[in-house]
């Protein structure tokens, strides 16, 4: 059993960087755009509606602040590791070099859950905006082609066809090449960042210029009360749970946490960064700070324009929870603004799915290089130098699950994978500081004992506040991962079986 604690030497990472065939095409602003591209979208265009209705009400802004604080601690730890071990694999690689193979496997297994589920959740939300986009031009898709079986109220077959097709198209783009995907992402990020700023300015104007939404005596009426009293409501699976109040704010922070995984996606691209030791830490912290500020502003504007109870999927506006920002403008009578948001979200969410799937494929490369998963997942295309086989397999799986699974389940499982990974990264920084105190660190976590301690405590507390259903499914995923590791990973690990790989080059 001692072999499961084996650690990958830092010299091995240096060797990996030198022989990597991935193209070095990403500068610090392209990396920052990748982070912003992943962060802006999932939270603003997807989870604001579910977070407000199922969890925190107008106090969703506080949920975003709590989640952002938790992310700051983790982001600082990521930045330190990215400056030491600038290779593809993200938190998986960091764990392998510090706390051992079994932890690295658990990290990689949770990152697979995180990125795959995030791709699915956002593609489902994209479908909601795309359906609304088509309605602008008078095209109405039948409900059985835009709904998963659990959400479909009719009888017979149903699937989310737009989500299914989107994932397959993005898979084709990612196979073509990283530079092409990053270039497309930069344009999309510019568009949707402009759209988010528009939402904040236009939404604030609508609120403060409309006497039905605001007056000097009561303030913003939909914010009263800002923290609603706790009540019991049914979730998407029909189970009763407690929403609102302080507990609702905390559970809201846990549920919307996956919206912040964009900076993790930055670290997965380190193998393609031009100057990874400096640019990756810069992009991680910059993208997080930009997006946290935007999240807070948008959540305040959204719950000010539209009462949080109106996001009820079984209420007056059943589709509002699928495209909350666009419907808020539409209900306010600003159809032109709703159309702008719909178009921007339809285009913008594409980049989120693209970055999530790109990050997932790079996790595959890192694990395949170490022999923990089949070499198949890390094989690069001879011309494009992308891990095309892994991307294609991932795309097929994500497409099918997105077509048949509710968004709330996908979002909660993504949050579990994210929080688990963040917790282990924080612990790994502490371990590395103790065991390698003289290691050169281009970026160092300030007051690391405090930052690491708070990061671990907050992330574990948020895991505790996830839905029971999500924790059960995630625990099952970890159990399955343990079986896969002992049946395949441990037996094929390069560190544990060096004699098998003496002449092997991945």
């Amino acid at each position: 059993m001692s072999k499961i604690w084996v650690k990958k030497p830092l010299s091995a990472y240096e060797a990996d960087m030198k022989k990597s065939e991935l193209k070095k095409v990403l500068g610090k602003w392209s990396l920052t755009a990748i982070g912003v591209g992943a962060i802006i979208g999932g939270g603003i265009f997807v989870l604001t509606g579910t977070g407000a209705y199922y969890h925190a009400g107008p106090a969703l802004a506080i949920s975003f602040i709590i989640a952002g604080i938790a992310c700051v601690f983790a982001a600082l730890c990521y930045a330190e590791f990215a400056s030491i071990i600038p290779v593809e694999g993200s938190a998986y690689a960091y764990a392998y070099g510090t706390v051992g193979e079994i932890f690295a496997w658990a990290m990689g297994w949770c990152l697979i859950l995180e990125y795959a589920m995030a791709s699915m959740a956002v593609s489902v939300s994209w479908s909601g905006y795309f359906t609304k986009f088509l309605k602008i031009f008078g095209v109405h898709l039948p409900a059985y082609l835009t709904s998963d079986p659990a959400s479909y109220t009719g009888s017979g077959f149903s699937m989310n066809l737009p989500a299914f097709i989107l994932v397959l198209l993005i898979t084709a783009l990612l196979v073509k090449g990283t530079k092409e995907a990053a270039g497309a992402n930069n344009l999309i990020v510019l568009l949707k960042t402009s759209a988010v700023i528009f939402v904040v300015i236009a939404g604030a104007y609508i609120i403060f210029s409309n006497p039905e939404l605001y007056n000097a005596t009561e303030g913003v009426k939909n914010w009263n009360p800002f923290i609603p009293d706790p009540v019991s409501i049914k979730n998407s699976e029909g189970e009763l749970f407690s929403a609102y109040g302080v507990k609702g704010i905390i559970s809201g922070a846990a549920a919307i946490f996956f919206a912040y995984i964009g900076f993790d996606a930055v670290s997965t691209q380190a193998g393609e960064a031009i100057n990874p030791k400096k640019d990756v830490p810069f992009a991680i912290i910059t993208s997080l700070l930009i997006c946290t500020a935007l999240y807070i502003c948008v959540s305040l504007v959204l719950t000010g324009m539209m009462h949080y109870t109106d996001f009820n999927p079984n209420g007056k506006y059943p589709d509002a929870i699928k495209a909350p920002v666009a419907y808020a403008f539409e209900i306010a009578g600003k159809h032109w603004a709703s159309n702008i948001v719909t178009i921007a979200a339809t285009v913008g969410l594409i980049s989120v799915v693209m970055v999530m799937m790109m990050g997932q494929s790079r996790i595959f490369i890192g694990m395949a290089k170490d022999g923990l998963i089949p070499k198949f997942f890390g094989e690069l295309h001879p011309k494009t130098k992308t891990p095309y086989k892994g991307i294609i397999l991932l795309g097929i799986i994500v497409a099918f699950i997105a077509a048949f699974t509710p968004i709330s389940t996908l979002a909660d499982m993504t949050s579990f994978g994210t929080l688990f990974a963040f917790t282990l990264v924080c612990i790994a920084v502490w371990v590395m500081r103790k065991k390698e105190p003289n290691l050169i660190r281009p970026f160092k976590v300030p007051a690391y004992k405090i930052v690491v301690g708070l990061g671990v405590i907050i992330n574990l507390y948020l895991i505790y506040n996830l839905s029971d259903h999500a924790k059960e499914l995630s625990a099952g995923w970890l159990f399955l991962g343990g079986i896969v590791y002992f049946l395949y990973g441990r037996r094929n690990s390069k560190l544990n079986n060096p004699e098998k790989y003496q002449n092997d080059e991945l």
Side-chain angles (χ1 to χ4, degrees):
M1 290 295 288
S2 61
K3 287 187 174 183
I4 68 174
W5 302 103
V6 65
K7 292 182 292 184
K8 186 172 181 177
L10 293 182
S11 58
Y13 287 110
E14 295 289 343
D16 285 346
M17 287 186 281
K18 290 179 181 178
K19 68 183 181 182
S20 174
E21 295 182 31
L22 293 171
K23 294 180 179 180
K24 306 286 186 179
V25 296
L26 301 176
K28 67 179 181 180
W29 291 111
S30 289
L31 289 166
T32 301
I34 285 174
V36 174
I39 300 172
I40 290 185
I44 289 178
F45 296 121
V46 181
L47 293 182
T48 42
T50 57
Y53 176 69
Y54 285 116
H55 297 283
L60 180 64
I62 301 177
S63 296
F64 274 117
I65 292 172
I66 293 172
I69 291 172
C71 279
V72 167
F73 298 134
L76 291 171
C77 294
Y78 265 86
E80 177 166 315
F81 270 120
S83 72
I84 301 171
I85 309 175
V87 295
E88 66 280 342
S90 179
Y92 158 76
Y94 309 155
Y96 213 163
T98 54
V99 289
E101 185 172 280
I102 186 64
F103 275 97
W105 170 266
M107 183 79 81
W109 194 248
C110 276
L111 288 173
I112 291 172
L113 175 71
E114 171 187 328
Y115 282 106
M117 290 295 168
S119 302
M120 297 168 197
V122 179
S123 62
V124 170
S125 180
W126 176 86
S127 174
Y129 278 99
F130 179 69
T131 301
K132 194 173 187 308
F133 170 77
L134 292 180
K135 289 179 181 178
I136 296 174
F137 303 98
V139 178
H140 298 266
L141 294 178
Y144 71 88
L145 290 181
T146 59
S147 305
D148 62 85
S151 305
Y152 184 50
T153 56
S155 58
F157 174 82
S158 68
M159 70 175 292
N160 196 326
L161 183 62
F164 181 84
I165 293 175
L166 172 70
V167 173
L168 295 183
L169 291 176
I170 289 177
T171 299
L173 176 62
L174 292 177
V175 168
K176 187 175 181 181
T178 299
K179 186 174 182 179
E180 291 76 6
N185 179 67
N186 290 344
L187 293 174
I188 293 173
V189 167
L190 180 62
L191 170 66
K192 66 180 177 181
T193 303
S194 301
V196 169
I197 294 172
F198 166 79
V199 167
V200 173
I201 295 173
Y205 175 78
I206 290 171
I207 292 170
F208 292 108
S209 65
N210 187 341
E212 294 183 3
L213 298 176
Y214 170 82
N215 62 50
T217 303
E218 299 179 58
V220 178
K221 295 182 179 180
N222 286 335
W223 291 352
N224 187 19
F226 191 72
I227 303 178
D229 293 331
V231 298
S232 293
I233 62 175
K234 288 185 177 181
N235 60 19
S236 58
E237 284 83 31
E239 302 168 340
L240 281 174
F241 73 103
S242 178
Y244 316 128
V246 174
K247 185 176 181 181
I249 293 173
I250 301 299
S251 66
I256 55 115
F257 203 83
F258 103 79
Y260 281 103
I261 66 176
F263 74 81
D264 181 281
V266 173
S267 67
T268 67
Q269 302 302 127
E272 289 145 291
I274 297 170
N275 187 6
K277 291 189 176 183
K278 291 184 177 180
D279 293 349
V280 172
F282 172 88
I284 286 172
I285 296 171
T286 303
S287 60
L288 177 61
L289 293 177
I290 291 171
C291 296
T292 299
L294 292 176
Y295 274 161
I296 294 167
C297 292
V298 170
S299 62
L300 288 171
V301 165
L302 183 67
T303 54
M305 293 172 63
M306 187 170 170
H307 198 270
Y308 67 93
T309 57
D310 286 335
F311 291 108
N312 183 354
N314 297 313
K316 186 178 179 181
Y317 307 106
D319 292 329
I321 200 166
K322 296 180 180 179
V325 181
Y327 274 95
F329 280 103
E330 188 167 298
I331 292 167
K334 307 297 181 182
H335 299 290
W336 61 273
S338 176
N339 291 343
I340 290 175
V341 173
T342 298
I343 293 169
T346 302
V347 177
L349 289 175
I350 294 174
S351 73
V352 183
V353 181
M354 182 169 63
V355 171
M356 292 298 100
M357 292 183 64
M358 188 187 299
Q360 171 71 90
S361 66
R362 273 51 180 181
I363 300 296
F364 282 156
I365 291 177
M367 297 181 75
K369 275 185 176 180
D370 295 325
L372 296 181
I373 60 175
K375 184 178 178 180
F376 165 92
F377 289 96
E379 292 180 0
L380 303 183
H381 192 280
K383 291 184 179 180
T384 64
K385 298 302 180 183
T386 57
Y388 66 111
K389 293 182 179 179
I391 290 174
I392 292 172
L393 178 61
L394 173 68
I396 293 171
I397 294 172
V398 168
F400 274 97
I401 297 179
F404 297 100
T405 309
I407 187 171
S408 59
T409 300
L410 296 172
D412 278 1
M413 289 186 69
T414 305
S415 291
F416 177 90
T418 307
L419 289 163
F420 188 87
F422 286 2
T423 301
L424 289 187
V425 168
C426 290
I427 293 172
V429 164
W430 188 299
V431 172
M432 185 67 99
R433 286 290 188 97
K434 294 296 184 182
K435 293 190 174 183
E436 300 283 351
N438 299 320
L439 188 67
I440 296 175
R441 295 170 169 84
F443 178 88
K444 295 181 70 173
V445 176
Y448 81 94
K449 292 182 179 179
I450 296 174
V451 170
V452 167
L454 290 174
V456 171
I457 291 169
I458 293 175
N459 286 311
L460 289 177
Y461 185 61
L462 291 177
I463 289 176
Y464 174 77
N465 281 278
L466 286 171
S467 69
D468 291 339
H469 185 58
K471 285 186 284 190
E472 290 167 0
L473 290 174
S474 300
W477 175 256
L478 284 175
F479 180 75
L480 175 62
I483 294 174
V484 174
Y485 172 72
F486 283 103
L487 290 181
Y488 182 89
R490 183 170 174 268
R491 295 180 179 182
N492 292 277
S493 162
K494 287 189 176 182
L495 286 182
N496 276 319
N497 303 277
E499 67 283 352
K500 288 185 178 181
Y501 299 95
Q502 290 179 356
N503 301 312
D504 184 61
E505 292 284 342
L506 185 63

